[in-house]
Amino acid sequence: REGNPEYRGELYAFYIYQEEQNKGVGKALFLSVLRKLEESGINSLMLWVFTDNPYRRFYEKMGGYVVENKLFEMEGFSIQITAYGWPDIGANLRPF
């Protein structure tokens, strides 16, 4: 959607039910997405998250780097969002 040439893949949405959090479900799902992208020849990934999301730390623990911040606006609603990037998916498939 954003068309960032440095990041070929984009993870649009990633949600884990609260009762399933802190059980390794998110990590397993995220790593399976990275593996699938890599198998498909996509070696980098970017995703956007609400800047005030208390679960942003998950992406940092998974090796993501803050790439960009901007204001997201749609139909009178606006909120600050942050992009995380993984420039080399293969490097991030190491055991966490």
Side-chain angles (χ1 to χ4, degrees), residues 1 5 8 11 15 30 39 45 59 61 74 80 89 95:
R1 294 175 311 145
R8 291 189 54 221
L11 181 55
Y15 300 97
F30 188 77
E39 289 169 7
L45 171 70
Y59 301 114
K61 287 173 58 177
M74 184 171 67
Q80 193 70 29
I89 287 173

Side-chain angles (χ1 to χ4, degrees), residues 52-69:
D52 63 356
N53 183 333
Y55 301 106
R56 273 180 49 179
R57 192 170 177 304
F58 171 81
Y59 301 114
E60 295 164 8
K61 287 173 58 177
M62 298 306 293
Y65 300 93
V66 173
V67 174
E68 182 180 348
N69 290 292

